[in-house]
Amino acid sequence: MKLDGVRAATFGAFVIPKTLNGQFCPLRRFCTGLPRSPASTLSEVIQHLQPTESDWDSEKLRGLIFADANPSSSSQIFNIAHRLGSSRKAWTFFQWIRANTENAQFVSRAFQAAAEVAGEEPNSSDVLVQLHGFLKESNLKLSASAVAVLGRSLKRAGMVDELCNVYSEIDPSLRSSQLCNHVIDGLLAGGRMSDARKMLDEMLKPDAEAVPNQYTADMVFGWALRSEDFWKHFVGSEIICLVKEFGRHGVFLNSFKLTKLIGKLCRSGKILVARDVLREVIEMGGCVEAAPCNTLLAAMDRKGMVREVNALMCVMKERGVQPNVVTFGIIINHLCKARRVDQALEVFDKLKNSGDNDVKVSVKPDVIIYNTLIDGLCKVGRVDDGCSLMNEMKCVPTTSTFNCLIDGFCKAGEIDRGLELFERMRVDGVSPNVITLNTLVDGLCRHERIGAAMEIFHEMQRTGLKADAVTYTTLITSFCNVGNVEAARELFDRMIDSGCKPDAIVYQAYLSGLTLCGKMAEASSVAAKMKEAGFSLDLASYNVLIGGFCRRKKIDEAYETLKEMERAGVKPDSVTYNTLISCFSKLGDFETAGIIMSRMSQEGLVPNVVTYGAVIHAFCESDRLDEAVKIFERMRVPPNTVIYNILIDGHCKTGNIETAASLMNEMRAGNLRPTTNTYNSLFKAFMEEQRLDKALNLMDQMIEDGCNPDLVTMKILSDWLSCAGESDRLRRFVQAFAVPASTG
């Protein structure tokens, strides 16, 4: 009991903490004298604020919140407002702070917290309106950061008008860069481009207090990349000025954003604007990497802007922009497309040897660069050099590598070497693709090796490689060209059965082949199937059908096709009218041919040499030379060699040799060279009239013109001159052209 008395005397009114078993705890007795931790204070304040405002113990709260007036107290107020769980409670807490302290920093932090919570919470516009009202009516000066947070929350809530009002109502000293950014962002989001631009112009002024920062640039150019409406208010030159103004404030886009902007400008056809934007960034000291340069180089290369590509490469070198493997790939591709393959190889050697004395590179050529070079070599006919380069590759050749070489050999006519490479692909384990198949099939068909093409086709099908529309088009066209309609039909049916839907090109190829072979009933059936498949017949398809019907003298069908063509909204062209005029002229129906020619003129289509040639030829064939001459004299276009030859032959056949000879002189005066047919017509006429002197003079003219005789020429002259005792003259004529005289 004495000990308890001592304890009581020593600790006075302190309650002596005891353990559960009633023993004294010497450590715990000092806890009550220690300062409270911020965390425990925060928790206790939150607990006191959970009831409604009317139940708050203001005196207790003042003791907890305002006990220490140190700098951390304002942060504690901010944290309390955030922990309350709703914008409405945060607003109520702000009002309580404002009513219970004159500390501007405390009020400002509570305001900022309420604004931030409201911005993160949906449907909090009423709280934001109340905060705006307080800001407008109160004389209390808030911090710029608090106002900026309100601006951000108003922007997030889409309350752009209120945001603009906040900006205009507050003291100018509170108009921070952060607040201006939120105003511009809100205006852009609301589609108010003109207002956003005015605000941005204010920020970019040299004497502006709220200067642009990285966020400003990223935001503005971010909108430029996302919104097409942006470009209606900023033309190319203004984008350049915008980049320049940001640069004067030391603000530049990062490499990713700059690359995206350059790409956007290039895709919009503003390549020169993109060039100037990049140049401004480089000249103003912005950090430029290879990526934006590569984007611009590629766009310039696609447009064939050789001078600009060279200039940009020089700028990169002067400014120390380190190229990467993509840069070298673009440069090599650019040189190869310009057929400057030797220069491309020089660039490649620099890359392969890790640079020269001027530029050091730390990249190695990849398979794309090798393929680009090999393709370039093949396109200039240096296929063997391409093969050598493939053998030197430090990486594994791909299907594209082989495709380039196979295509090169096929175009050079060395089909067998292309087939050898195809075999090597299989040995090396490189899988061919449909491009490989199409390249070989096309090469073989062009050299009339359709059987070998079909063997490749069947072999690839057995390996599981499916042919595409290009494959079938090539084969169908080739079979139609040699008149094998049955094989073309089988391929067309097989194409449909294999699940490869014919496209318009396949239908047109098949249609054209059938009409050339005179299979008009089947051609009409294919045209119907084409329409059922959803493809409209175009002008070329209608012309093919009309031409086919005319060649078979099926005038009614040709006329019906013409009417269908017009109903489908496809206007006939010169080819259509010329085909019909030629057809009716050959049938001797010159009246209808004249009507069609008149209609052609009414449609605004001027008859051309083909039109006149068809009519003139038909009149001559019908022994109506006078009518042919009248048409010739009324021609509204200069006649060509074909028309002159038709008339010269017509005059020669009717014995008008002098007129025929004068037409030949007229040809020369019109810079048209007489052809072998011209001379043959006159030689025949002179022989029939036994005018040897004229024939001998004509032979001299033929030698002077360098017009090679053909078998018809030699037949006429050999028979005639041998009998006329002019064998020596004939021999000299033959020697002048180095052709054997034929008497057969």
Side-chain angles (χ1 to χ4, degrees), residues 66 97-107 140:
F66 304 131
I97 290 289
R98 180 191 172 197
N100 284 274
T101 181
E102 295 180 357
N103 188 316
Q105 188 178 11
F106 287 2
V107 176
L140 183 66

Side-chain angles (χ1 to χ4, degrees), residues 126 184 218 245 249 265 309 327 345 422 425 429 442 457 509 526 533 562 579 629 651 694 699 702 725:
D126 55 338
I184 293 172
D218 290 344
E245 291 300 324
H249 287 85
L265 288 167
V309 167
T327 317
L345 288 169
F422 177 59
M425 284 181 76
D442 182 68
F457 172 76
V526 170
L562 178 65
T579 302
V629 171
H651 282 295
K694 293 285 187 182
M699 288 167 63
M702 195 170 186

Side-chain angles (χ1 to χ4, degrees), residues 388-446:
S388 300
L389 187 59
M390 183 178 75
N391 294 331
E392 296 171 9
M393 285 176 69
K394 303 297 183 184
C395 44
V396 179
T398 64
T399 304
S400 295
T401 318
F402 282 98
N403 286 348
C404 292
L405 290 166
I406 291 171
D407 183 60
F409 280 125
C410 287
K411 283 185 169 61
E414 299 185 64
I415 307 298
D416 291 328
R417 293 189 67 183
L419 292 171
E420 288 173 10
L421 271 178
F422 177 59
E423 182 61 32
R424 179 177 163 183
M425 284 181 76
R426 290 189 289 193
V427 172
D428 291 353
V430 180
S431 299
N433 59 15
V434 72
I435 296 173
T436 320
L437 170 62
N438 291 341
T439 303
L440 285 169
V441 166
D442 182 68
L444 290 165
C445 288
R446 284 179 185 276

Side-chain angles (χ1 to χ4, degrees), residues 304-408:
M305 302 167 70
V306 178
R307 186 178 300 174
E308 287 79 4
V309 167
N310 294 334
L312 180 55
M313 290 190 293
C314 289
V315 170
M316 289 177 67
K317 185 175 180 179
E318 291 169 3
R319 298 289 180 165
V321 179
Q322 187 71 17
N324 57 22
V325 69
V326 177
T327 317
F328 281 100
I330 294 168
I331 294 170
I332 288 171
N333 182 58
H334 164 71
L335 293 170
C336 285
K337 284 203 297 189
R339 303 180 77 84
R340 293 156 59 188
V341 182
D342 288 326
Q343 288 177 266
L345 288 169
E346 289 176 13
V347 174
F348 175 72
D349 287 337
K350 290 180 182 180
L351 178 61
K352 193 168 60 173
N353 298 323
S354 298
D356 57 14
N357 294 329
D358 297 322
V359 181
K360 297 293 181 183
V361 296
S362 57
V363 291
K364 294 295 180 184
D366 61 7
V367 70
I368 296 174
I369 289 180
Y370 275 106
N371 288 349
T372 303
L373 265 176
I374 289 169
D375 186 55
L377 288 165
C378 291
K379 279 184 168 56
V380 295
R382 294 167 60 178
V383 190
D384 287 327
D385 290 339
C387 282
S388 300
L389 187 59
M390 183 178 75
N391 294 331
E392 296 171 9
M393 285 176 69
K394 303 297 183 184
C395 44
V396 179
T398 64
T399 304
S400 295
T401 318
F402 282 98
N403 286 348
C404 292
L405 290 166
I406 291 171
D407 183 60

Side-chain angles (χ1 to χ4, degrees), residues 78 82 87 112-125 128 147-164 178-179 181-190 215 219 223:
F78 184 86
H82 254 282
S87 59
Q112 181 176 343
E116 189 164 293
V117 172
E120 295 169 353
E121 186 179 280
N123 304 319
S124 59
S125 56
L128 291 171
V147 177
V149 168
L150 175 62
R152 183 181 65 193
S153 296
L154 289 168
K155 177 194 73 176
R156 286 178 177 174
M159 301 168 68
V160 182
D161 289 333
E162 289 80 357
L163 175 57
C164 292
Q178 192 177 3
L179 177 62
N181 287 341
H182 294 319
V183 175
I184 293 172
D185 200 10
L187 289 169
L188 289 171
Y215 181 90
M219 172 192 61
W223 274 102

